[in-house]
Amino acid sequence: RVAPHQQCENMSDKIVVVSSPDAEFIASAKKWPTWDCEPSKFPWSYSQEETCYVLTGKVTVTPNGGGAVEIKAGDKATFPKGMSCTWEVHERIEKHYSFN
């Protein structure tokens, strides 16, 4: 287990959200596996960088020691390797995802 101060050591790696990504990205993302989740709140850690394309729903992702990031249907989001955070799913979410 990593101590809280170490989880935030490299906060230059932040969640990157792109609203309305280009058609080429969407076509590629639609070939990725899907994941869905009902409204809930849970901790999560990324052992690899993940990029996703949100099909439906809305979530707030709050990195430990960082500011909350809203992600919704139609968004592309990239989560940095090594980030620990809390997911709060407000509306059932479904996304395509890829570990980079």
Side-chain angles (χ1 to χ4, degrees):
R1 185 175 161 108
V2 178
H5 67 281
Q6 291 174 322
Q7 291 172 339
C8 301
E9 200 168 88
N10 189 2
M11 287 308 289
S12 63
D13 291 327
K14 295 187 189 278
I15 300 168
V16 177
V17 178
V18 177
S19 295
S20 304
D22 63 62
E24 184 178 334
F25 168 78
I26 294 169
S28 176
K30 286 184 176 180
K31 298 174 187 168
W32 300 344
T34 58
W35 176 86
D36 64 84
C37 183
E38 296 298 325
S40 55
K41 187 173 182 176
F42 56 91
W44 193 255
S45 294
Y46 290 88
S47 59
Q48 306 173 67
E49 181 181 86
E50 179 189 324
T51 299
C52 71
Y53 176 62
V54 180
L55 298 169
T56 62
K58 187 168 115 180
V59 63
T60 301
V61 181
T62 307
N64 292 358
V69 177
E70 298 285 335
I71 303 167
K72 64 188 179 327
D75 287 348
K76 169 187 177 183
T78 303
F79 304 95
K81 177 181 177 178
M83 183 184 76
S84 293
C85 58
T86 299
W87 272 62
E88 185 171 1
V89 179
H90 304 288
E91 298 169 12
R92 181 184 176 277
I93 192 163
E94 183 177 6
K95 66 177 184 166
H96 286 287
Y97 67 93
S98 176
F99 293 107
N100 307 329

